[in-house]
Amino acid sequence: MARFFERTRPFWMSFYLTLCVFAVITGLLTVDYRCRMMTNPPEGRAASFSVTGLTAGDGALHLRWFDTEAELSLQTSASLRRVLETIPILIPRTLRIAAGGEKLLEGLWEQLPTL
């Protein structure tokens, strides 16, 4: 049993470091969000994302964090578009979750300033 843990030690160390990095990023985003909401609350939404046109070929992922905006283009070829329209399960899971996630979290966006 001890040999198993010795052989998998690099995996566990990298897993632990990755977990620590994500915990630090989450903590920094939370502190940044709370500090900005306390000092200078925005008029509309503070943070939002939207995904448009995943199967249309000219899709884009729009991110907004207070006064910073970013856009990621998700363009596809015509043949790939036809395949994605026919079999939408081939769209990567993270993009499908992002497309449906905004609709599921609409109520949460309005409640975030009060949390």
Side-chain angles (χ1 to χ4, degrees):
M1 189 67 148
R3 293 182 71 190
F4 172 76
F5 288 113
E6 288 177 12
R7 287 185 292 173
T8 59
R9 183 179 294 169
F11 166 76
W12 291 113
M13 290 299 293
S14 61
F15 178 75
Y16 176 71
L17 289 174
T18 304
L19 191 65
C20 288
V21 167
F22 279 107
V24 167
I25 289 171
T26 303
L28 290 174
L29 282 174
T30 304
V31 168
D32 180 51
Y33 181 81
R34 291 299 294 165
C35 289
R36 286 188 186 205
M37 289 303 287
M38 296 301 265
T39 58
N40 189 15
E43 295 293 322
R45 290 183 176 177
S48 66
F49 72 93
S50 62
V51 179
T52 57
L54 281 179
T55 57
D58 56 350
L61 172 66
H62 304 278
L63 301 168
R64 183 170 164 254
W65 182 257
F66 288 92
D67 55 351
T68 306
E69 293 187 23
E71 180 177 323
L72 176 66
S73 178
L74 306 167
Q75 296 181 356
T76 59
S77 65
S79 60
L80 181 59
R81 241 189 342 251
R82 284 194 303 272
V83 170
L84 291 178
E85 288 171 354
T86 306
I87 311 168
I89 195 71
L90 295 177
I91 298 171
R93 183 182 307 166
T94 53
L95 293 178
R96 284 186 279 135
I97 290 171
E102 184 183 22
K103 292 177 184 164
L104 293 173
L105 297 175
E106 280 180 355
L108 180 64
W109 288 120
E110 283 103 31
Q111 295 176 8
L112 274 178
T114 61
L115 294 178

